[in-house]
Amino acid sequence: MLRGNQALIDRDLAVLWHPCTQMKDHEALPPVPIRRGQGVWLEDFEGKRYLDAISSWWVNLFGHANPYINAALRAQAEELEHVILAGFAHEPAVRLAERLVSLAPPGLSRCFYADNGSSAVEVALKMSYHHWRNLGRTRKTRFITLENSYHGETLGALAVGNVPLYKETYAPLLMDVISVPSPDCYHRAPGESWDAHALRRFADMESALASHAEEACAVIVEPLVQCAGGMRMYPPVYLQRLREACDRHGVHLIADEIAVGFGRTGTLFAFEQAGITPDFLCLSKGLTGGYLPLSAVLTRESIYQAFYDDYASQKAFLHSHSYTGNALACAVALATLDLFERDDVIARNRDKSKTMSEAAAVFADHPHVAEVRQTGMILAIELVKDKASREPYPWQERRGLSVYRHGLDRGVLLRPLGNVIYFMPPYVISDEEIRFMADVAYEGVCRATED
Ligand code: PMP
């Protein structure tokens, strides 16, 4: 039997269909077989190591094989791995709900579990619609969303997302949504501040709300960073205006913090920076420190109460997933929250994000970099064909893929979004590792833009 990487690659390609992948690409670049992980490092079957600069799709917070989380997982496995959550309860699910509610701003007092990010978005959409229906507002059946947003791949979540690459193919299957231009500050006018741009863009949201308030259930946003849309960023003032306008027009606000939650933007939740409370808060990814699939939707007591009635009223939220509130996932989520408290992570990340900014400063002067932008622990570099006009590289050239390949050669897992290179590392990354990650990305950018 073959040993090393090739043996697993051959078996993989014989049976697997990888996510978000044109499988033919693997003829030129096979999948990287990983044997073990430790901290920010992944290791293949031949001992080669890769720094996980993207936290394995933005889920990992405290490193691979974290000893504290491992211990919590082992202990929970000895007690109870899973039990149906309809009609039954278990301590990890209750404790996690208590802790999430206590970490969220006052008002978000109810926690509903699902088992992945897209499902959490489906829950929030259905709950919002159903809340209005239970109040007799049956004309409210639509959702307002931002251009360039991403909320997942299931049909409801895909419909409220707006990244054409993922959405267009499936357009005939998707519900019709109201799309509003994004406050994305990459598109601000020369010399315009982020705030001025976001406020200018808010006029479109205000008019969408004014025209559609009667039929709109909710506005859904990714607070501060549109991640899958190329790590495009906007300031908190937009969320402040949005909260006020949603209240004025009687429309819910759904904060999809699946990617940006748990410290990525510099605060535990991104919307905190706007000092607002959404009506629904969707959490997943970092919720379990990158260990197990779990998601939660937090909402207000008043929304919960609109469903609370005699069974015969048919107002109940009859939504479920088999692994809802899985005990192992809840236990590792509790351990993840322990680490936030124990290690004062949010404060320590301020220094790390400064190191990231210093390490990436060199990109700003590169002739094919239009912008280096950062919000907390997310830093993105926008590659362009022409720096002055910001003309993008044609997507067919796949410049980002060249950076990815260079990263793999040099031992860094970067996974650019088109022509956007970004860093979203686990919080246990050291300063030296940050500099290594940035240096390798810089070399990759230089090579990918040579001609
Ligand atoms: N919302 C946002 C903002 C996301 O970034 C993602 C995943 N990248 C999702 C929802 C979907 O989560 P999942 O992949 O777990 O379904």
Side-chain angles (χ1 to χ4, degrees):
M1 199 166 113
L2 275 169
R3 291 205 171 274
N5 290 339
Q6 197 57 48
L8 196 71
I9 292 169
D10 292 345
R11 286 168 54 203
D12 175 302
L13 292 177
V15 290
L16 274 189
W17 188 343
H18 285 265
C20 203
T21 298
Q22 171 48 265
M23 289 298 290
K24 193 163 191 290
D25 279 0
H26 284 320
E27 289 179 8
L29 186 63
V32 182
I34 294 302
R35 188 172 72 86
R36 59 194 297 273
Q38 190 71 57
V40 298
W41 294 97
L42 298 165
E43 190 180 313
D44 72 12
F45 285 74
E46 291 162 8
K48 179 165 181 182
R49 300 204 310 158
Y50 302 87
L51 192 159
D52 188 354
I54 58 151
S55 299
S56 286
W57 258 342
W58 323 337
V59 298
N60 191 292
L61 298 187
F62 297 117
H64 296 278
N66 181 290
Y68 185 78
I69 303 178
N70 283 358
L73 179 57
R74 264 189 233 110
Q76 185 59 44
E78 294 297 334
E79 289 291 325
L80 172 71
E81 78 303 329
H82 183 70
V83 62
I84 179 173
L85 201 63
F88 284 74
H90 59 82
E91 176 148 27
V94 175
R95 271 181 53 216
L96 180 60
E98 287 168 349
R99 278 179 84 173
L100 291 174
V101 163
S102 75
L103 289 168
L108 293 179
S109 57
R110 286 282 162 182
C111 175
F112 188 97
Y113 290 115
D115 53 16
N116 64 78
S118 303
S119 300
V121 170
E122 301 286 346
V123 165
L125 298 175
K126 285 176 70 179
M127 252 185 200
S128 171
Y129 155 79
H130 198 162
H131 162 267
W132 294 119
R133 186 178 192 275
N134 282 352
L135 296 187
R137 303 285 303 275
T138 49
R139 286 188 57 207
K140 280 184 174 286
T141 56
R142 300 186 73 194
F143 295 93
I144 301 178
T145 174
L146 292 176
E147 285 173 5
N148 195 45
S149 58
Y150 180 91
H151 298 289
E153 299 293 347
T154 54
L155 293 179
L158 195 60
V160 293
N162 258 309
V163 178
L165 178 64
Y166 307 123
K167 182 169 182 174
E168 262 170 23
T169 310
Y170 305 100
L173 308 184
L174 304 177
M175 69 175 160
D176 186 32
V177 297
I178 301 150
S179 294
V180 173
S182 164
D184 168 8
C185 286
Y186 182 68
H187 294 300
R188 69 195 184 281
E192 192 178 30
S193 71
W194 281 35
D195 278 8
H197 171 79
L199 289 173
R200 188 159 58 78
R201 276 290 161 86
F202 190 75
D204 293 310
M205 178 60 84
E206 178 64 52
S207 65
L209 279 163
S211 341
H212 297 288
E214 278 305 305
E215 53 174 351
C217 303
V219 177
I220 181 165
V221 293
E222 293 161 273
L224 302 188
V225 188
Q226 295 188 308
C227 293
M231 300 294 164
R232 294 294 180 80
M233 301 175 183
Y234 63 92
V237 68
Y238 190 88
L239 297 172
Q240 284 160 0
R241 291 294 169 96
L242 181 59
R243 175 70 277 178
E244 185 277 323
C246 284
D247 285 343
R248 189 159 30 82
H249 290 290
V251 172
H252 290 144
L253 175 56
I254 301 172
D256 174 353
E257 297 233 3
I258 288 161
V260 295
F262 298 103
R264 291 291 184 194
T265 66
T267 43
L268 188 64
F269 302 120
F271 66 79
E272 285 171 27
Q273 295 181 40
I276 61 155
T277 303
D279 301 299
F280 297 93
L281 170 59
C282 300
L283 301 171
S284 188
K285 291 193 187 272
L287 173 61
T288 61
Y291 265 64
L292 286 164
L294 179 70
S295 60
V297 179
L298 270 60
T299 191
R300 295 179 184 278
E301 194 65 21
S302 58
I303 289 173
Y304 171 77
Q305 286 299 335
F307 293 79
Y308 195 91
D309 206 341
D310 295 331
Y311 186 78
S313 72
Q314 296 193 308
K315 286 184 175 174
F317 190 58
L318 301 181
H319 181 109
S320 61
H321 299 283
S322 312
Y323 281 100
T324 290
N326 173 261
L328 296 171
C330 290
V332 297
L334 286 163
T336 300
L337 294 179
D338 289 347
L339 291 178
F340 270 101
E341 277 175 24
R342 191 191 77 183
D343 298 341
D344 201 9
V345 171
I346 299 292
R348 282 176 46 185
N349 278 358
R350 273 182 219 125
D351 293 333
K352 283 201 203 299
S353 64
K354 223 178 279 166
T355 309
M356 279 168 60
S357 143
E358 286 158 10
V362 60
F363 286 93
D365 293 329
H366 190 281
H368 289 286
V369 170
E371 184 176 71
V372 179
R373 51 182 176 267
Q374 184 176 16
T375 299
M377 293 294 288
I378 306 173
L379 190 145
I381 297 139
E382 185 96 23
L383 300 189
V384 285
K385 186 168 179 185
D386 187 86
K387 195 174 176 101
S389 68
R390 289 189 160 188
E391 180 193 347
Y393 279 116
W395 63 266
Q396 295 88 339
E397 292 181 11
R398 304 184 80 180
R399 302 272 170 166
L401 184 62
S402 310
V403 181
Y404 172 71
R405 294 182 82 128
H406 178 78
L408 291 184
D409 285 348
R410 295 275 283 113
V412 180
L413 164 50
L414 301 158
R415 196 182 150 92
L417 293 153
N419 293 325
V420 176
I421 319 302
Y422 70 91
F423 307 127
M424 201 167 176
Y427 304 154
V428 292
I429 192 167
S430 69
D431 287 357
E432 199 183 323
E433 287 161 344
I434 289 173
R435 286 188 282 271
F436 173 66
M437 166 179 87
D439 288 349
V440 169
Y442 190 76
E443 291 162 14
V445 165
C446 291
R447 285 185 175 214
T449 58
E450 254 164 13
D451 54 326

